[in-house]
Amino acid sequence: MTLPTIPLATVRHHHLAKHRLCEPPTGPGKGADLDQMLEDLTFVQLDSINTVARAHHMILHARRGNYRPRALDRLMAERRVFEHWTHDASAIHIDNFAHWRLKMARDAETLRGRWKEWRRAGFEEKFDEILKRISDHGPCCSSDVGENEQKGSGGWWDWHPSKTALEYLWRSGELSVTRREGFRKFYDLTENVIPPEHLNQRYLPEETIQTACSTALDALSFATSGELAAFWDIITPQEAKDWCAEQLAKGDLIEVMLETAQGKPRRSFARPNVLDTPLMEPTKRIRILSPFDPALRDRKRTERLFGFHYRIEVFVPEAKRRYGYYVFPVLEGDRIIGRIDMKAERARDTMAVRAFWPETGVRMGSGRVRSLQIAIERSAKLAEVSELEFAPDWLR
């Protein structure tokens, strides 16, 4: 049986629309508007690198030009989001908390064994001590514990036992992040952080599997079972594969072939009515994206959709270019037109633009250059710097 083929432009259009990158980036970017944005995106990755602004702030700013970091802080204080792990540390809409119990239970089992090999010994003996300390004295951060323990000298992940215990108790659900100061997490007992209506909600594993697959497909429109499992990273690839088979047998999924930028069609799943809903046409506005934007996080999918090869600090042989560390993808309409190397030098109150590399076939006429400069100006406002400084050879 010949499967229907979905044109690449349609696949890309759906992807951008579902990630809220077709619409103009207008709106207040705070309160109910930001809450809805987070509900639609389901999560944004948290990252400490602050070259322009931290990843989560750049993700939200790309969709709402008026967004400022304190708006996310307020939603956290109002418990509209919680912090936990997807593929990485993320801010997740609170409506998903009860489904995270499956991941927490699984992490409690897998991390205990894994961290016995990866971390320093003795972290399990610290559990009761840390829980009692927080119960008696309130929230704490990693620098508040392990006063008499040898601090690590082996880099970012060389944690002392009490720091490991804090992270384990967070990942397994006994503690939750109550706030951040800078990028430092403060932990409290989960019952003190998560609102009762979410804390007391329970789902069976099969209900969470259903929700994880269904919401991932809603966010992607077209996906393999592996992509559905990887979207949330709270269920296994086999669970996603079994779900797809069941839905396909019931007629609630269909198989399609997707055109790709490489020319090799890709077999995927979709809902039968996926093409029935009209989508907003992508705005032509240029946006500077975080490398961890949810629309780009899956690097292989990004290559299939946009023909855009992105790795942090990478040599691209076909382009004979070596890009600097943490360059930013640049989106115009439904096309990634290049990547930019820029840094907010806050001591000088300046956004220093070092280089922009257009993608092959992208012509940088005066109108496009001006649109890119306006996008840089918007990023400077997010970074709270006033001046722009362009290297003499910034346009490569």
Side-chain angles (χ1 to χ4, degrees), residues 129 133 142 144-151 160 162-163:
E129 176 186 327
R133 175 176 185 150
S142 59
D144 295 328
V145 298
E147 294 91 338
N148 299 318
E149 298 169 22
Q150 181 181 355
K151 306 300 181 182
H160 57 76
S162 290
K163 161 67 172 174

Side-chain angles (χ1 to χ4, degrees), residues 232-258:
W232 287 111
D233 197 28
I234 61 176
I235 63 172
T236 68
Q238 187 61 52
E239 287 168 341
K241 187 175 181 179
D242 291 344
W243 181 85
C244 288
E246 292 168 5
Q247 299 298 307
L248 191 64
K250 292 194 298 184
D252 291 337
L253 285 186
I254 60 172
E255 288 187 285
V256 296
M257 298 299 292
L258 308 180

Side-chain angles (χ1 to χ4, degrees), residues 6 32 36 43 46 53 85 95 107 156 163 170 179 247 271 286 343 357 374 386:
I6 311 298
Q36 185 63 56
F43 68 89
L46 301 167
W85 211 260
D95 288 348
D107 281 354
W156 183 263
K163 161 67 172 174
W170 170 51
R179 70 179 189 276
Q247 299 298 307
R271 299 194 189 280
I286 289 181
K343 179 179 175 61
W357 296 273
I374 291 171
S386 303

Side-chain angles (χ1 to χ4, degrees), residues 194-350:
I194 304 301
E197 63 270 25
H198 300 289
L199 181 69
N200 298 325
Q201 179 71 56
R202 295 291 188 277
Y203 291 105
L204 296 173
E206 53 266 31
E207 292 176 301
T208 291
I209 293 168
Q210 161 67 26
T211 297
C213 290
S214 182
T215 55
L217 188 58
D218 287 341
L220 297 172
S221 289
F222 311 97
T224 64
S225 62
E227 288 171 331
L228 295 182
F231 182 83
W232 287 111
D233 197 28
I234 61 176
I235 63 172
T236 68
Q238 187 61 52
E239 287 168 341
K241 187 175 181 179
D242 291 344
W243 181 85
C244 288
E246 292 168 5
Q247 299 298 307
L248 191 64
K250 292 194 298 184
D252 291 337
L253 285 186
I254 60 172
E255 288 187 285
V256 296
M257 298 299 292
L258 308 180
E259 289 185 352
T260 68
Q262 292 86 357
K264 183 179 179 181
R266 182 173 176 83
R267 195 181 187 116
S268 294
F269 295 103
R271 299 194 189 280
N273 61 349
V274 64
L275 300 181
D276 292 349
T277 303
L279 300 177
M280 179 182 294
E281 287 299 317
T283 175
K284 294 299 184 182
R285 185 167 178 169
I286 289 181
R287 310 176 201 235
I288 297 171
L289 303 181
S290 163
F292 300 123
D293 193 287
L296 305 178
R297 178 183 64 83
D298 184 335
R299 305 299 193 216
K300 292 182 179 179
R301 186 180 179 94
T302 298
E303 289 185 45
R304 290 194 301 271
L305 284 171
F306 301 100
F308 182 75
H309 181 92
Y310 185 90
R311 299 292 187 276
I312 290 178
E313 199 171 22
V314 66
F315 176 67
V316 183
E318 60 270 24
K320 297 182 180 180
R321 296 172 178 169
R322 183 179 298 278
Y323 300 106
Y325 183 76
Y326 209 82
V327 297
F328 301 96
V330 179
L331 178 73
E332 180 188 56
D334 66 350
R335 183 183 186 186
I336 298 178
I337 62 169
R339 63 200 84 198
I340 190 165
D341 183 353
M342 62 185 191
K343 179 179 175 61
E345 298 183 359
R346 292 175 175 83
R348 297 198 300 124
D349 190 30
T350 297

